[in-house]
C-alpha cells in the first residue's frame, strides 16, 4: 500500500457577538420566540435598505489583526444570489472580490511540533434564518431570528495534515476569538461552524488531490470523526482506482458517516455582483491604529503575565488561560481574595473536576468570583476546615449558594468549644476501650482512627489538629487514671 | 381657484392664509379624481378616507399656527405606487404585490407628511418601474390626458398623467433610466430626477438600486424645487444617500442665468430625433440665449453606448432585487405546487408580467459565470467612461441641454410588441442615470396631435440649482411671451 497524506483546509463561520444585527438594529440574542428578533430590513421587505453595523466591521478587523492579516483598506460588499426559504432577500450580502482581511496566519502547537497555518482571507457577511422541519405534520417552518446576524468566514490555506492539527488550529482560533471578545464560539448554538475541505495525495506529491467539502459537524469530536472517516473513504476510493469526486458532503454524527449533498456539476452559480446598496468601506490609517490600540490582551501575553505577576507555575498559567471564562474567573477572584495560588488550585482541581463530571464547557460555568473568594477567605481565616470547604464548594458550584450564609445556616464553622470537643473525644475513647491498650502498647496509629471517629461525631466541624492533640491528651489522662 | 390648474405653491399660500381649508382642497381634488379617473386611470389606489382624515389634522395644525413657513403645507400629493406607504397598498403595478400593504413609510413619505402634505393615493406605473409606457402595469394602462389614444409614458406614467390631467397638483415619481423625465415630457409637465444620493431611497421598492432615484413631478419648476426641498437630504437609513447636501431655495432658483454656459451636445440632435422635437428644442436654445445664457457645443460620444450599458446593469440589479418575490413570505403565491422549486417557478411565472420576466432573464444571464466579464463588467466600464465624459464636459459648461425623447408619446398598444425599439427610446435619458447626474424635463411645445414635447437640462452632480434656475427662467420667459 502506498503512503498517503491528508491535506485539509478549513472554512470557519463565526457569529460575531455584536448587540445588533449587521444591517439593522434587531438583537442578535440566541433563542427567543421564532420571528421575534426581526424587522422589515432583516426579513427583506420591499424597499428596505441595509445599514452596516460598524461594530461588526471593527470585530472583523480585530480578528484580522490578531491573525496577522493584511487589512483591505478599501473593501466592498457583494451579493451572493440564490433561492432558499431561509434567505429572505434571496441574496446574501457577503464579500467576494475585496474581502476585509487577507493573507494572515495562526501558529499552532501539537505534540509533534509548532506550525504556521495560513489564513487565505476573512470576509464579512450576514447569517441566514433557520428552517424547522416538523416531521409529524410534514410542514417546514421558518425562523428568521438568526437572519442578519453578522458572520465572519475565516478561510484557511490547505495547510493542515491531520485531525490533531485541525483541532489545534480550531482551539487556537477559538481562543483568539474569545479573547478578542468578538464571539462566544458556541458550537452547539451554531456561533462557530467549521466546514472541512479535505483531499488525499501520495506523500511527496506537491499536487493537490480532488477535495470534498464536509459540512454539519457540531463539536470538535465530530470534526475528528468526520476527518478520520473521510480520510478512509477517499483512500479507499483511490485504492479502488475510482478517484474522488469533487462534492459537498453532509456529516451525520449519529450514523458516523457522511452523505453526498451536491456534486461540482450541481454547484450553484451565485451570480455575484457588487452590492449597490452599500458604498465601499474605506479605512483610514488612524482608525486602524485605534483598533490596534484597543486590542485586548491575548492568550500568549496573559499566560506570560500570570507567571510573572502572580508567580504561578507555567502549567497553571497554561490551563487557566486555556479558556477565557476560566482566566476571567481567576483574575476576578484573585482581585477579591489576593491569593492567586489558592484561586488557581480551586480552579484547577475542584472546578475542573466538577466540570468534567458534569461535562460542562468553560463558557457554561456559572461560578461567581465573589463566592469563590469568600470561600477561600473562610478557609484562610479558619472559619471552616478544608473538608467542609470542599462540600461548601460543591454547593456553590451546583446551587449557587452564598457560602457565608450556607456555613452559618448549616453550622459548619469549626467548633472551638473545648469542653464540647473534649466530651466528644472522651465518648469516642470510652466506646473504644481496646484503643487505650493499643495506645499503651505503642500503636500510634490508633490516634488517627480516634481522630477520624471524633471528626465524624463532630460532623466534620472540628479542627483535626486540635482534635489530634486532644485525643492524645485524653488517652494519656485515661492511662494515668487507670494506673 | 381651479384646482386642476393651480400650482402647489399658490395653493398652499391660499391655505396658510386661510382663504381655503385643507379639507376643501382635498375634497375638491378627490372630486376631480372621481370625475376624471374613468377616463385617464392614473391611480392604482385612492386613499380617500385617510386623505380626508389627514386634511382635518393638518387644517387644525395650521389653525394652531403650525406650518407657517412650510411651502407645501396642506397640498395633496400623488405617490407612485413603488414608494412604500404605511397602511396603503403598495403594488408596484404587479400581480406579485397586488395585495401588499407595507408596515412602514418610505423616508420621502415621512418627510412629506411632516411638511403637511396629504397623500391622495398611489399612481400607476409600468410593473416594477420596468417600461416606458405604463402599459406593463397589472392594473391596466394609464391614458395621456393630452390625447387619450396615446400613452402617458413611463414608468411614472400615472404620476405624470395625474399632474397633467388635473388628478393631482404634484406627484412623486422614480427615475431609473428616464422614468420621471420621459412621462413628464409626454404629458407636458415638469419632472426632476435628482442627483443619485440626493434623495433617500428608503422605502422605494428597488428596480436597479445603483440608478433609482425618487423625484418630483409638478406643473411648474418652482413646485418641483419646493418638493425637492422637503424630500432631499441625508438619511441614515440609506447608506447611498449623500451627506451635507443643500437643496436650492426658491430665491436661489429665481436668479438670472446671465452668463451661464449651456452645453449643446451635437450627438443628441442627430439621426433618430424627430423633426418636430428638434424644432421645438432649437426654439429653447433661442429662449435661453435671450435669458443671457451662452450656448456652447460639446461632445458626448459615449452616450450611444448608454442604452446597452443601462439595460445590462439595470437588469442585473433587478434580477437580484426582485428575487425576494418568491411566494414564501408575502405577496402572491401560486396555488398549485408540489415542492419548493415548483413553488418558486409557479409563483414567479404567474406573479410577474412579460416585461419583468424578460428583464430578469437578461439580468440573470449577464451575471452568470462565464458572461460576467463580457457583459456586466463591460457595462460598468461604459458607466465609468460616461461619467468621466460628463465630468470633462462640465469643466466647460454649467449645464447641458438635450431632448428628453426622440418623439412624442406613442399610441397605446404600439410599443409592447417591440421591446428593443422601446429600449432605444431611452437613449437621451439613461446616460444621466448612469452618470448619477440631476436632470429636469420641461415642456416646450406640442406636436400636431396635441402631444407635448419636452427638453432636458442636465446638471453637474448636486447641481440641482443650476438646472432648476435655468428651467425657471425659461418658464418665466415663455409665460411672459404667452401673455
Amino acid at each position: 500500500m502506498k503512503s498517503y497524506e491528508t491535506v485539509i483546509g478549513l472554512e470557519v463561520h463565526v457569529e460575531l457577538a455584536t448587540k445588533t444585527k449587521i444591517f439593522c438594529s434587531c438583537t442578535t440574542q440566541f433563542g427567543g420566540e421564532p420571528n421575534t428578533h426581526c424587522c422589515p430590513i432583516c426579513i427583506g421587505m420591499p424597499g428596505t435598505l441595509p445599514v452596516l453595523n460598524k461594530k461588526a466591521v471593527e470585530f472583523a478587523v480585530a480578528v484580522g489583526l490578531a491573525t496577522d492579516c493584511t487589512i483591505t483598506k478599501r473593501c466592498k460588499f457583494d451579493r451572493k444570489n440564490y433561492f432558499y426559504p431561509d434567505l429572505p432577500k434571496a441574496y446574501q450580502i457577503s464579500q467576494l472580490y475585496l474581502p476585509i482581511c487577507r493573507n494572515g496566519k495562526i501558529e499552532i502547537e501539537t505534540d509533534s511540533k509548532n506550525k504556521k497555518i495560513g489564513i487565505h482571507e476573512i470576509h464579512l457577511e450576514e447569517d441566514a434564518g433557520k428552517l424547522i422541519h416538523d416531521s409529524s405534520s410534514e410542514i417546514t417552518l421558518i425562523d428568521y431570528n438568526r437572519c442578519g446576524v453578522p458572520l465572519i468566514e475565516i478561510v484557511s490555506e490547505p495547510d493542515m495534515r491531520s485531525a490533531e492539527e485541525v483541532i489545534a488550529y480550531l482551539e487556537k482560533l477559538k481562543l483568539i476569538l474569545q479573547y478578542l471578545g468578538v464571539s462566544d464560539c458556541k458550537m452547539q448554538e451554531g456561533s462557530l461552524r467549521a466546514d472541512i475541505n479535505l483531499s488525499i495525495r501520495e506523500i511527496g506529491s506537491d499536487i493537490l488531490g480532488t477535495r470534498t467539502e464536509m459540512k454539519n459537524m457540531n463539536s470538535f469530536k465530530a470534526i475528528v470523526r468526520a476527518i478520520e472517516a473521510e480520510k478512509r473513504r477517499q483512500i479507499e476510493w483511490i485504492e479502488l482506482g475510482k478517484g474522488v469526486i469533487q462534492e459537498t458532503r453532509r456529516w451525520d454524527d449519529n450514523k458516523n458517516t457522511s452523505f453526498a449533498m451536491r456534486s461540482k456539476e450541481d454547484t450553484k452559480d451565485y451570480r455575484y455582483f457588487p452590492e449597490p446598496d452599500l458604498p465601499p468601506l474605506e479605512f483610514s490609517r488612524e482608525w486602524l491604529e485605534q483598533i490596534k490600540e484597543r486590542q485586548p490582551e491575548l492568550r500568549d501575553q496573559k499566560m506570560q503575565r500570570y507567571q510573572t505577576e502572580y508567580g504561578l507555575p507555567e502549567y497553571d498559567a497554561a490551563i487557566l488561560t486555556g479558556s477565557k471564562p476560566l482566566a476571567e474567573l481567576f483574575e476576578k477572584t484573585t482581585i477579591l481574595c489576593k491569593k492567586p495560588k489558592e484561586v488557581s488550585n480551586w480552579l484547577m482541581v475542584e472546578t475542573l473536576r466538577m466540570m468534567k463530571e458534569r461535562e460542562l464547557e468553560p463558557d457554561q460555568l456559572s461560578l461567581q468570583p465573589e463566592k469563590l473568594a469568600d470561600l477561600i477567605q473562610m478557609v484562610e481565616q479558619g472559619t471552616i476546615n478544608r473538608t467542609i470547604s470542599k462540600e461548601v464548594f460543591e454547593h456553590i458550584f451546583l446551587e449557587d449558594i452564598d457560602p457565608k450564609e450556607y456555613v452559618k445556616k448549616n453550622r459548619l464553622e469549626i467548633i472551638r468549644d473545648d469542653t464540647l470537643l473534649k466530651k466528644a473525644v472522651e465518648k469516642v475513647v470510652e466506646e473504644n476501650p481496646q484503643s487505650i491498650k493499643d495506645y499503651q502498647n505503642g500503636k500510634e496509629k490508633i490516634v488517627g482512627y480516634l481522630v477520624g471517629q471524633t471528626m465524624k461525631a463532630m460532623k466534620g466541624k472540628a479542627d483535626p489538629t486540635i482534635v489530634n492533640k486532644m485525643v492524645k491528651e485524653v488517652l494519656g489522662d485515661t492511662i494515668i487514671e487507670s494506673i | 381657484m381651479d384646482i386642476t390648474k393651480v400650482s402647489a405653491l399658490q395653493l398652499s399660500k391660499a391655505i396658510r392664509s386661510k382663504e381655503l381649508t385643507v379639507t376643501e382642497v382635498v375634497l375638491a381634488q378627490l372630486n376631480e379624481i372621481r370625475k376624471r379617473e374613468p377616463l385617464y386611470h392614473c391611480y392604482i389606489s385612492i386613499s380617500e378616507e385617510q386623505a380626508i382624515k389627514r386634511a382635518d389634522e393638518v387644517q387644525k395644525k395650521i389653525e394652531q399656527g403650525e406650518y407657517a413657513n412650510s411651502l407645501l403645507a396642506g397640498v395633496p400629493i400623488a405617490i407612485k405606487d413603488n414608494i412604500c406607504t404605511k397602511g396603503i397598498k403598495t403594488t408596484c403595478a404587479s400581480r406579485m404585490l397586488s395585495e401588499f400593504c407595507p408596515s412602514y413609510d418610505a423616508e420621502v413619505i415621512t418627510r412629506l407628511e411632516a411638511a403637511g402634505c396629504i397623500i391622495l393615493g398611489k399612481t400607476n406605473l409600468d410593473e416594477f418601474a420596468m417600461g416606458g409606457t405604463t402599459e406593463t402595469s397589472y392594473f391596466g394602462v394609464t391614458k395621456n390626458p393630452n390625447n387619450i389614444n396615446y400613452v402617458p409614458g413611463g414608468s411614472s406614467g400615472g404620476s405624470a398623467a395625474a399632474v397633467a390631467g388635473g388628478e393631482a397638483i404634484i406627484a412623486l415619481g422614480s427615475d431609473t433610466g428616464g422614468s420621471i423625465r420621459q412621462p413628464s415630457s409626454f404629458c407636458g409637465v415638469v419632472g426632476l430626477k435628482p442627483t443619485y444620493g440626493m434623495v433617500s431611497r428608503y422605502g422605494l421598492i428597488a428596480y436597479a438600486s445603483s440608478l433609482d432615484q425618487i423625484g418630483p413631478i409638478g406643473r411648474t419648476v418652482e413646485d418641483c424645487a419646493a418638493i425637492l426641498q422637503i424630500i432631499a437630504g441625508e438619511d441614515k437609513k440609506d447608506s447611498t444617500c449623500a451627506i451635507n447636501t443643500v437643496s436650492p431655495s426658491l430665491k436661489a432658483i429665481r436668479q438670472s442665468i446671465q452668463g451661464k454656459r449651456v452645453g449643446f451636445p451635437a450627438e443628441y440632435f442627430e439621426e433618430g430625433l424627430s423633426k418636430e422635437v428638434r424644432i421645438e428644442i432649437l426654439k429653447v436654445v433661442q429662449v435661453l440665449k435671450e435669458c443671457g445664457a451662452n450656448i456652447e457645443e460639446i461632445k458626448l460620444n459615449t452616450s450611444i453606448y448608454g442604452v446597452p450599458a443601462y439595460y445590462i446593469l439595470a437588469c442585473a440589479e433587478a434580477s437580484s432585487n426582485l428575487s425576494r418575490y418568491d411566494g414564501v413570505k408575502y405577496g402572491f403565491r401560486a396555488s398549485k405546487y408540489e415542492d419548493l422549486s415548483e413553488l418558486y417557478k409557479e409563483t414567479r411565472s404567474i406573479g410577474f408580467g412579460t416585461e419583468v420576466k424578460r428583464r430578469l432573464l437578461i439580468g440573470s444571464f449577464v451575471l452568470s459565470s462565464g458572461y460576467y466579464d463580457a457583459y456586466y463588467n463591460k457595462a460598468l466600464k461604459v458607466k465609468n467612461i460616461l461619467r468621466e465624459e460628463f465630468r470633462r464636459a462640465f469643466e466647460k459648461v454649467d449645464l447641458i441641454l438635450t431632448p428628453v425623447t426622440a418623439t412624442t408619446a406613442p399610441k397605446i398598444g404600439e410599443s409592447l410588441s417591440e421591446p428593443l425599439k422601446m429600449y432605444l427610446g431611452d437613449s437621451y435619458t439613461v446616460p444621466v442615470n448612469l452618470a448619477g447626474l440631476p436632470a429636469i424635463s420641461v415642456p416646450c411645445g406640442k406636436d400636431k396631435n396635441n402631444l407635448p414635447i419636452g427638453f432636458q437640462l442636465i446638471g453637474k452632480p448636486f447641481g440641482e440649482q443650476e438646472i432648476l434656475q435655468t428651467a425657471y427662467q425659461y418658464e418665466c420667459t415663455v409665460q411672459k411671451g404667452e401673455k
Side-chain angles (χ1 to χ4, degrees), chain A residues 213-217 248-253 257-262:
Chain A
E213 184 182 350
M214 187 76 69
K215 287 182 182 287
N216 196 42
M217 284 78 54
T248 305
R249 301 181 67 83
R250 183 185 165 84
W251 177 251
D252 187 330
D253 206 41
T257 186
S258 64
F259 300 94
M261 278 168 74
R262 52 175 185 266

Side-chain angles (χ1 to χ4, degrees), chain B residues 80-349:
Chain B
K80 188 178 182 180
D81 207 18
N82 61 349
I83 297 171
C84 287
T85 40
K86 187 176 175 175
I88 306 173
K89 265 189 219 173
T90 302
T91 69
C92 278
S94 178
R95 183 171 185 185
M96 192 59 96
L97 292 179
S98 53
E99 297 300 323
F100 177 70
C101 193
S103 63
Y104 44 90
D105 272 324
E107 178 62 16
V108 289
I109 300 297
T110 309
R111 292 186 187 187
L112 283 172
E113 293 201 322
C117 291
I118 288 116
I119 312 299
L120 276 174
K122 308 299 290 289
T123 57
N124 202 9
L125 64 151
D126 284 290
E127 186 180 4
F128 280 101
M130 297 181 192
T133 62
T134 316
E135 289 169 294
T136 70
S137 166
Y138 176 64
F139 297 95
V141 65
T142 297
K143 279 134 190 151
N144 191 320
N146 297 281
N147 186 332
I148 58 165
N149 296 317
Y150 290 80
V151 302
S155 63
S156 312
S159 283
V163 174
E167 290 195 46
I169 297 142
I170 46 175
L172 287 190
S174 72
D175 192 316
T176 307
S179 283
I180 288 175
R181 291 158 289 156
Q182 184 253 39
S184 295
S185 172
F186 282 177
C187 291
V189 292
V190 182
L192 173 71
K193 178 240 169 250
T195 309
Y196 186 79
M198 186 76 177
V199 178
S200 167
R201 290 187 295 118
Y202 188 84
L204 169 65
I205 300 183
Y207 157 25
S209 317
S210 72
L211 306 167
D212 294 342
Q213 192 65 191
I214 295 173
I217 295 172
R219 290 180 190 139
T220 68
V221 174
E222 280 187 312
D223 277 2
C224 287
I227 300 168
L228 183 70
Q229 268 189 41
I230 293 168
I231 62 172
E234 181 180 0
D235 175 21
K236 292 207 159 57
K237 295 191 292 303
D238 175 2
S239 313
T240 63
C241 196
I243 50 169
N244 301 327
T245 50
V246 183
S247 33
S249 66
L250 293 182
K251 198 178 156 200
I253 70 159
R254 285 175 192 147
Q255 288 167 25
S256 151
I257 55 164
Q258 184 69 42
K260 285 267 176 231
R261 300 163 301 169
V262 178
F264 185 89
E267 295 85 355
Y268 280 63
F269 293 87
E270 284 163 6
E271 209 184 332
L273 186 66
S274 79
K275 208 173 148 191
E276 283 172 304
V277 176
R278 190 200 317 266
I279 289 168
E280 291 305 320
I281 296 182
L282 291 176
K283 284 186 200 160
V284 174
V285 173
Q286 286 314 309
V287 176
L288 294 183
K289 277 184 183 164
E290 282 167 34
C291 294
N294 300 325
I295 309 295
E296 289 173 32
E297 213 169 292
I298 56 164
K299 287 236 171 283
L300 289 173
N301 301 322
T302 316
S303 291
I304 53 163
Y305 300 109
V307 168
Y310 167 80
Y311 277 94
I312 289 168
L313 296 176
C315 293
E317 290 182 24
S319 75
S320 173
N321 283 331
L322 271 65
S323 290
R324 68 188 69 194
Y325 311 114
D326 55 8
V328 173
K329 306 160 294 279
Y330 49 78
F332 175 76
R333 179 190 288 185
S335 52
K336 282 183 196 148
Y337 51 89
E338 288 296 318
D339 56 20
L340 181 63
S341 135
E342 216 170 274
L343 163 68
Y344 288 153
K345 271 185 207 161
E346 290 299 304
T347 298
R348 291 168 65 80
S349 299

Side-chain angles (χ1 to χ4, degrees), chain A residues 281-297:
Chain A
L281 285 176
E282 314 223 9
F283 303 132
S284 66
R285 187 192 291 266
E286 294 75 37
W287 186 81
L288 283 175
E289 285 302 321
Q290 278 174 24
I291 300 291
K292 254 182 216 169
E293 275 168 30
R294 262 186 275 158
Q295 291 283 80
E297 184 183 41

